[in-house]
Amino acid sequence: MKRSLYEYWLGLLALLALLAVLGTALNSTLPLVVAAVVMLAALITWQPLLGLCMVAFYLPQENLAMLFPSFTLIKLIGGLTFWGWFTHLLTGKKVFKMNRMFVPLVLYLIWCLLSIVWAIQPGQSWPRVISLGQMLLMFIAGYNLVDSKKELHLLLGSYVLGAVWAAGLGIYNGYLHAFMVRIDSGGLQDPNFYARIIGLGVLFGAYLAFSFINAAIRRLSLICCVIIVVAVLLSGSRGTWLALLAALSAGIAFAGPRIARRPALKRRLLISLLVVMVSVALFGPRIVDHLPYVVVQRAETLTHITDQTNRAAGRFDIWLVGLEIAKDNLAKGVGINNFPCAFTEYFPAAGGIVRPVGLNRDPHNVYLANLTELGVPGLLLFMLLLWELWRSGDRTENRVDAVLCKLLVIFLATAGLTGTDHFRKFFWFGLLIPCILAQFGVLKGLSGDRDKKKFCFWRPPFPTGTTKTMEFLLSAWFKTSKRWEWTYM
């Protein structure tokens, strides 16, 4: 007899109660933790997309999801998600989708791996290469898990909710300190990194606001954008301010032709702009007087960024040393993640250093990091990644998708002027979204005549919808005459 869903829930609750009693008797939470991990693994294996959305939600608050040193909840859920996708691939529930972005990503990873051979300290390079390899696998799995716009909206919505939660924590921390210090979500997180990782949520929230027809969802998305923008301002991250400003300016430029063709929209925007300008002119001084101290103080430093006492918080001096490193290592670099070691070695030879910046410093520039650590080939491969992302916007399904692709590139490229995020998970998540958006345009034939080099499916070796035992799967494997079949779109 077929069991009802309620019976399964009752069984689950009974199991949890038994584990709670066992944990109380043993004075340990280990039974509950083990049961939670097992149930989470079963759930994500059944629905890997759910695991991907959970990863997106926890990305903006990764520092709060630490389970053990160097092991976060994101790594646990990400590993389970990859396993769930892989099992779905083997059983025929999913097909392997290729994307032209995979090639430069693999080439970039291979060059990073080769750089270990000539690295100053190879031991510093291996963890970074392993981390990049893990993110590449999650990139491939994430691309293959999202098959529709509805699933993409669910994924982006998860990231926006996570960013709003992190923004709320940051604003609350700022309130506890009377908004006199730069905010973050807690756990001694770098405010600059905090601002960049939640700043990505502003772009996703704006995209959802323009994509949905439902007015309630659009308003909710805009409210989320406002909350995140407030947190970014309170973080005092000048680099993120400029990156969001660049993305906003580019968005207005891209939307210009569409606005010009709609007189009503044009009139509303012009009136709104006029109201803002008049309000700033009349109430500007009062607004400044009531702004939080940290925002005013960080904004004032923008006009003194080139002063000898500021020098972009010492970044100019770090970049001078980085240029000395690059001069001697243009062909192959000093090895991935070896800039701090090279900085200490080249610091005495660098001229023009004004501000004490210490030793073993981060390059604080994604382009300088690639040039010094991977040489000209590594920098060219990295620029190729950004170029491919930009071109993804030309293969999307509609104008809104294309604008999001290009704004993501502008945001990541501009934020990279003052930070090194190319090994961060949120950066790779930003790389993933344009690839997902481009596949919808390719599938609908909007990119031309369905070029075989742009998109393809890789059918699994096992029969589609197989739910029987592995013995049957193995027999099917050996009986199939054509194990692998490629179908191009």
Side-chain angles (χ1 to χ4, degrees), residues 108-159:
Y108 182 78
L109 181 60
I110 291 175
W111 185 250
C112 292
L113 182 61
L114 290 176
S115 72
I116 299 178
V117 177
W118 55 79
I120 299 176
Q121 292 187 3
Q124 297 291 328
S125 300
W126 277 112
R128 178 61 52 81
V129 172
I130 294 174
S131 177
L132 289 175
Q134 293 172 346
M135 285 186 280
L136 177 60
L137 292 178
M138 279 305 301
F139 182 95
I140 296 174
Y143 176 77
N144 280 271
L145 282 173
V146 180
D147 295 324
S148 66
K149 275 293 185 67
K150 184 181 296 185
E151 294 176 348
L152 176 64
H153 292 162
L154 181 63
L155 180 64
L156 296 183
S158 301
Y159 191 98

Side-chain angles (χ1 to χ4, degrees), residues 137-359:
L137 292 178
M138 279 305 301
F139 182 95
I140 296 174
Y143 176 77
N144 280 271
L145 282 173
V146 180
D147 295 324
S148 66
K149 275 293 185 67
K150 184 181 296 185
E151 294 176 348
L152 176 64
H153 292 162
L154 181 63
L155 180 64
L156 296 183
S158 301
Y159 191 98
V160 172
L161 290 178
V164 170
W165 179 257
L169 291 176
I171 295 173
Y172 178 71
N173 289 333
Y175 170 76
L176 294 179
H177 296 86
F179 299 111
M180 299 295 291
V181 297
R182 302 173 64 186
I183 70 168
D184 57 59
S185 59
L188 301 178
Q189 189 179 29
D190 178 17
N192 294 319
F193 171 64
Y194 166 76
R196 291 193 295 270
I197 197 171
I198 66 173
L200 200 63
V202 176
L203 302 182
F204 295 151
Y207 170 77
L208 294 176
F210 283 97
S211 297
F212 275 96
I213 300 177
N214 187 291
I217 297 180
R218 298 177 69 171
R219 294 192 186 98
L220 181 60
S221 300
L222 290 176
I223 292 173
C224 291
C225 289
V226 172
I227 295 173
I228 299 172
V229 168
V230 171
V232 170
L233 288 174
L234 293 174
S235 72
S237 176
R238 298 166 298 187
T240 309
W241 293 356
L242 296 176
L244 283 178
L245 181 60
L248 175 62
S249 303
I252 294 175
F254 292 141
R258 182 181 179 183
I259 295 174
R261 292 193 298 267
R262 302 177 63 180
L265 178 60
K266 181 179 179 180
R267 184 166 54 253
R268 286 197 297 267
L269 288 177
L270 289 176
I271 293 175
S272 301
L273 181 61
L274 181 62
V275 171
V276 171
M277 293 176 63
V278 172
S279 301
V280 171
L282 294 177
F283 307 106
R286 292 188 178 182
I287 294 174
V288 172
D289 291 340
H290 289 82
L291 283 175
Y293 170 79
V294 64
V295 177
V296 176
Q297 188 269 334
R298 295 294 290 179
E300 288 177 347
T301 59
L302 286 172
T303 60
H304 308 291
I305 200 168
T306 58
D307 289 353
Q308 294 298 314
T309 57
N310 191 309
R311 295 178 66 80
R315 287 182 176 86
F316 289 167
D317 296 311
I318 296 174
W319 295 340
L320 286 175
V321 180
L323 292 177
E324 291 295 328
I325 300 173
K327 288 179 184 178
D328 295 340
N329 302 276
L330 285 175
K332 56 183 181 180
V334 296
I336 186 70
N337 201 30
N338 271 247
F339 182 92
C341 308
F343 181 89
T344 302
E345 180 180 333
Y346 279 82
F347 181 78
I353 304 297
V354 175
R355 177 171 173 166
V357 292
L359 302 176

Side-chain angles (χ1 to χ4, degrees), residues 44 47-59 77-78 80-82 138-139 141-146 151 154-155 158-159 429 432 436:
I44 294 177
Q47 290 292 342
L49 181 65
L50 178 61
L52 186 64
C53 292
M54 294 175 66
V55 169
F57 176 80
Y58 283 111
L59 272 179
I77 299 175
L80 294 175
T81 301
F82 182 83
M138 279 305 301
F139 182 95
Y143 176 77
N144 280 271
L145 282 173
V146 180
E151 294 176 348
L154 181 63
L155 180 64
S158 301
Y159 191 98
F429 188 82
L432 171 64
I436 294 176

Side-chain angles (χ1 to χ4, degrees), residues 417-459:
L417 294 174
T418 56
T420 49
D421 297 324
H422 56 297
F423 59 91
R424 303 280 192 179
K425 297 179 182 65
F426 87 93
F427 183 89
W428 283 69
F429 188 82
L431 299 182
L432 171 64
I433 301 305
C435 298
I436 294 176
L437 288 170
Q439 73 169 324
F440 300 134
V442 174
L443 284 172
K444 291 201 172 183
L446 298 180
S447 63
D449 55 352
R450 295 189 177 184
D451 188 352
K452 294 182 180 180
K453 297 180 180 179
K454 293 181 179 178
F455 202 89
C456 66
F457 282 146
W458 191 11
R459 294 189 182 280

Side-chain angles (χ1 to χ4, degrees), residues 21-44:
V21 172
L22 180 62
T24 304
L26 298 176
N27 195 22
S28 173
T29 58
L30 182 61
L32 285 176
V33 172
V34 173
V37 172
V38 171
M39 287 187 290
L40 182 65
L43 181 63
I44 294 177

Side-chain angles (χ1 to χ4, degrees), residues 59-133:
L59 272 179
Q61 43 195 323
E62 182 178 8
N63 63 310
L64 302 177
M66 186 75 68
L67 299 178
F68 306 103
S70 301
F71 188 77
T72 63
L73 187 61
I74 293 179
K75 287 188 177 181
L76 173 62
I77 299 175
L80 294 175
T81 301
F82 182 83
W83 169 251
W85 165 73
F86 189 68
T87 56
H88 280 221
L89 177 66
L90 292 181
T91 57
K93 297 178 182 178
K94 288 287 184 181
V95 291
F96 190 91
K97 298 180 292 186
M98 292 291 294
N99 187 283
R100 61 193 304 167
M101 189 70 175
F102 292 173
V103 176
L105 283 174
V106 171
L107 290 177
Y108 182 78
L109 181 60
I110 291 175
W111 185 250
C112 292
L113 182 61
L114 290 176
S115 72
I116 299 178
V117 177
W118 55 79
I120 299 176
Q121 292 187 3
Q124 297 291 328
S125 300
W126 277 112
R128 178 61 52 81
V129 172
I130 294 174
S131 177
L132 289 175

